[in-house]
């Protein structure tokens, strides 16, 4: 079982460039999430998708867009990268979007914007 | 707003000793309390969780206790091993309502 797969694992972008982070899960989970992890800031929710066809903003959505392509895939797009977006990005999934639903995380994408 | 405080931020123990990490939370309506382990270069992994109708839950060397009256819950690791070295995050809530603690870096010295 692959669980949650993220690509790429590492990326360096120049300021102003765009890119899409890909995420896929094979657990038939309904809900998917994008987090960023920064030193001293912990894990912060960027966007989530409670179910196929829906997306909602989290705590830090500015500068990002998302697409829930189908039940398996949830992508995160940076339209014009900024140095403040240098971070480690994690995709996660859960069976439901509320209640006693823990996450399965991917292995992360380490993004550097120069 | 709702928050979760986690202590200590760093914990160093000798192999074979026990380790305890404690979290306090503010939202009295919280009813789900997961714990995640993050090894270097990897994503967090759910290792144990507890629901509000249960006071304690064990899984081999790890256990979680919950005191709803005092609004705190703790992770207990017994007979620690070097592979337990990682960052541990407590959390409250589930799904998009999950609130994470700041993390505890555990070092197990061989």
């Amino acid at each position: 079982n692959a669980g949650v797969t993220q690509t790429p694992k590492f990326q360096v972008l120049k300021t102003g460039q765009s890119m899409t982070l890909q995420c896929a899960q094979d657990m038939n989970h309904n809900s998917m999430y994008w987090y960023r992890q920064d030193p001293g800031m912990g894990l912060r929710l960027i966007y989530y998708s409670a179910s196929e066809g829906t997306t909602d903003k989290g705590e830090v959505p500015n500068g990002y867009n998302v697409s829930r392509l189908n039940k398996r895939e949830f992508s995160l797009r940076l339209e014009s990268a900024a140095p403040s977006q240098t971070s480690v990005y994690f995709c996660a999934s859960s069976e439901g979007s509320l209640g006693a639903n823990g996450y399965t995380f991917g292995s992360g994408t380490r993004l550097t914007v120069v | 707003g709702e928050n979760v405080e986690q202590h200590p931020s760093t914990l160093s123990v000798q192999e074979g000793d026990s380790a305890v990490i404690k979290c306090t939370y503010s939202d009295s309506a919280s009813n789900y309390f997961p714990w995640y382990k993050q090894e270097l270069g990897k994503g967090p992994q759910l290792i144990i969780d507890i629901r509000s109708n249960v006071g304690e839950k064990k899984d081999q060397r790890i256990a979680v206790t919950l005191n709803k009256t005092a609004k705190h819950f703790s992770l207990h690791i017994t007979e620690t091993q070097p592979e337990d070295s990682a960052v541990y995050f407590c959390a409250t809530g589930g799904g998009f309502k999950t609130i994470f603690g700041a993390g505890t870096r555990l070092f197990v010295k061989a």
Side-chain angles (χ1 to χ4, degrees), chain B residues 61-102:
Chain B
R61 295 186 298 107
I62 61 173
V64 57
T65 58
L66 171 65
N67 184 326
K68 282 222 77 180
T69 303
K71 290 192 283 188
H72 68 71
F73 58 111
S74 300
L75 178 71
H76 304 253
I77 306 174
T78 59
E79 299 173 24
T80 53
Q81 301 168 5
E83 53 264 38
D84 295 328
S85 295
V87 178
Y88 292 82
F89 294 94
C90 64
T92 63
F96 70 89
K97 287 186 178 280
T98 300
I99 300 174
F100 289 94

Side-chain angles (χ1 to χ4, degrees), chain A residues 13-18 78-83 113-114:
Chain A
L13 289 178
K14 293 183 178 178
T15 298
Q17 287 185 318
S18 62
L78 286 70
E79 290 291 352
S80 179
V113 183
V114 297

Side-chain angles (χ1 to χ4, degrees), chain B residues 16-57:
Chain B
D17 288 348
S18 295
V20 181
I21 303 169
K22 185 173 178 178
C23 290
T24 58
Y25 60 97
S26 59
D27 184 6
S28 57
S30 295
N31 58 13
Y32 177 62
F33 306 89
W35 284 88
Y36 294 86
K37 174 185 181 182
Q38 186 175 23
E39 297 176 342
L40 194 62
K42 297 184 178 181
Q45 178 187 8
L46 179 66
I47 56 172
I48 194 167
D49 57 16
I50 193 168
R51 289 156 176 74
S52 60
N53 59 345
V54 175
E56 182 176 1
K57 183 177 179 180

Side-chain angles (χ1 to χ4, degrees), chain B residues 4-24:
Chain B
V4 177
E5 293 189 4
Q6 184 171 346
H7 300 281
S9 57
T10 306
L11 179 60
S12 184
V13 300
Q14 203 68 37
E15 182 179 1
D17 288 348
S18 295
V20 181
I21 303 169
K22 185 173 178 178
C23 290
T24 58

Side-chain angles (χ1 to χ4, degrees), chain A residues 40-55:
Chain A
M41 301 295 290
L43 287 154
R44 293 183 291 171
L45 182 63
I46 304 171
Y47 270 95
Y48 68 96
S49 170
S51 60
E52 186 178 356
T54 70
T55 60

Side-chain angles (χ1 to χ4, degrees), chain A residues 23 37 66 98:
Chain A
C23 175
Q37 185 175 39
V66 290
L98 283 173

